[in-house]
Amino acid sequence: MTIQSREQCEQLDREDALAHLKQEFALPEGVIYLDGNSLGARPKAAASRAAEVIQQEWGTDLITSWNKAGWFDLPSRLGNLLSPLIGAEANEVVVTDTTSGNLFKALAAALHMQAGDDQRKVIITERSNFPTDIYMAEGLTGWLQRGYRIHLIDSPEELSTAINAETAVVMLTHVNYRTGYLHDMQTVTALAHQHGALMLWDLAHSAGAVPVNLNAANADFAVGCTYKYLNGGPGSPAFIWVPARHQAKFRHPLSGWWGHASPFAMSPHFEHQPTIRAALCGTQPIVSLALVECGLEIFAKTDMQALRKKSLALTDLFIALVEQRCAGFGLELVTPRDHVQRGSQVSLHHPHAYALIQALIARGVVGDYREPGILRFGFTPLYVGFADVWDAAEHLRDLLASQSYDLNLKRNAVT
Amino acid sequence: MTIQSREQCEQLDREDALAHLKQEFALPEGVIYLDGNSLGARPKAAASRAAEVIQQEWGTDLITSWNKAGWFDLPSRLGNLLSPLIGAEANEVVVTDTTSGNLFKALAAALHMQAGDDQRKVIITERSNFPTDIYMAEGLTGWLQRGYRIHLIDSPEELSTAINAETAVVMLTHVNYRTGYLHDMQTVTALAHQHGALMLWDLAHSAGAVPVNLNAANADFAVGCTYKYLNGGPGSPAFIWVPARHQAKFRHPLSGWWGHASPFAMSPHFEHQPTIRAALCGTQPIVSLALVECGLEIFAKTDMQALRKKSLALTDLFIALVEQRCAGFGLELVTPRDHVQRGSQVSLHHPHAYALIQALIARGVVGDYREPGILRFGFTPLYVGFADVWDAAEHLRDLLASQSYDLNLKRNAVT
């Protein structure tokens, strides 16, 4: 169906079985929020949950809350709530620390598992990967000083030739933060395994955005973020997945007391515990951690198949509207057109991308800018509707047609 | 003055110039809270601050809050608020990650600075140190595989013979978590430097508890905790201090994007920044982080000298009351009697310590238990008064005299 009018979009919204989920979120009036891939919107429940943790659990119950309110167990409990979204089994995920920190642990563990083979010294990743993943790999391998090399490929097509008997680990972000390109998890994992390499996935732009089945793909390790599509709150702790089959041999250098086999025995030597809790290190930020549950509770009201169907309908619509109604203004589609290669975002290139994003934000259409020259729009089916997509595209068309954006505006240091 | 009655304690409370600060905290009625060395009490301001961050900054301002609300700068801003409490200069402290994680960074940086000297392979610490510090040192050195050894000493007196030309780093917790023993920072740091070693201090039980002057002592690195005496909230992010003179050479393996010289340039290679922000790694848990400010604001209403004076008066009083009124029941003082060796806690040994602590908690006197056989009481001058100390000692005496605690009670796995 070709969409020609806002009325048709409104009709799609009326027919949308997920439309009621928007009520779970506290979004400001008049804002079309297409930046849930950077910071997810606030679940309404987050305010009362924070008040409960702060007033009752911290203020009144004080130290007893480590047991009584389950604070100590929270990383595991949240991990188990998150598991179904990524195809993990129970007791394979904890929510803890940062994505960067968790990637360090997973990569270290993977290299440790490969240490018996002196020929396997190469970590393969993409130059276009989110930079912190590459930085953490540089940090780890630079310090180990054992001849590890990071091989940056420039296109997913290179994977089939790049992976070989020298590859220790293939470390990829499932959905690219900039382009929205979606890797085929099953195929790439199988390719890595075929050559004896281990497969580490960063799900920062996948968890809650696209269906993921880590165990079906037989992946080796995964990490990801809870503050984007999972709506856990600003900078909410990240997650790490270690499949049951690898837990006994999961070793990393961040061996803090929360990962100890008997954390409260206060023994002066570290003792590994063969569970997912070996991925824990220090004491967790409980208030931020507790809010992750509010986002996960909303996912429990639907499923990733339904969300994926709507996500593709939204991104299809946006691409179509941009191509039909914003043609001739220099926009280029960066995100793959093919569904099997597309995450839950649409990225467009334009020479004045930064100025355009600022002008859109001023009109209440919140997307973001990414270097170089990318307008990035995240489509979160939990709270974005079809009329929102129409309106966003119309604002973009109007800005381009009227040239009512600041041609001289340059990106400042921090945005 | 020998205290003989509760009335005398009430008089001390009336004369206490810090007594009004208790009003800044939301403590439950009828509770004498002597566990602020484990989890600080809740500042009243924390509830409204959390509501502001969640409702306005996250919910309404959304992604713009990274700049507009200063989220990105928060680790540095809080670090600067904390600096005066530990004798740090501006731009030498950030609040971020966990104490374990920060210790890993500081220890790695110290080993890196010593790497030019092949003879310096020993890290000296105490067997009685909080275990996670030893575990992180084990994690780091085990992975580096460059002949590093951890030398565990059994008493502070051993320091003078243990530190020598093979010592790379002396890594001590300033106030021992179990005994409350306080090291002389100036003397120990000078001893380490005399032998060419670097000095790393863990201030988990010092920051906000005793006066600390890192720069006056010429220390090299420090880390610490904000959720104990600083009242930042359960598991609130930790801090790390790197003095200006070491920032250009501060290198560690957790090189995430927040520590990059240009985090938003999205360059595929890590570039060190010669500032305290090189100690940052991944995206921080903003809600938990923001609450740290509520605790620090209370410290701005007083100073560490005044707090120390009251702290010593409280611990002196508790020791005196225990020795006068609980004599003959098998309690042994573990904490040093000498002021210059005492933190802000009193630890007592008793064969039934765990059962006694449980019975005290049931009466509203909240202390905690630490292995082996230690009753631990933290005295936080911000919200503990002299009559509280009297009442705590009376409850303890009454329990001992009446033997009204469960002689068979054993510690369970997680407390």
Side-chain angles (χ1 to χ4, degrees), chain A residues 374-388:
Chain A
I374 301 281
L375 298 111
R376 190 174 72 152
F377 302 98
F379 293 88
T380 306
L382 290 172
Y383 50 77
V384 174
F386 295 92
D388 293 331

Side-chain angles (χ1 to χ4, degrees), chain A residues 351-356 358 369 371 406-415:
Chain A
H352 296 290
Y354 183 70
L356 278 166
Q358 298 310 312
Y369 173 81
E371 292 285 1
D406 183 350
L407 288 164
N408 298 313
L409 191 64
K410 296 286 177 224
R411 189 180 145 270
N412 57 22
V414 180
T415 41

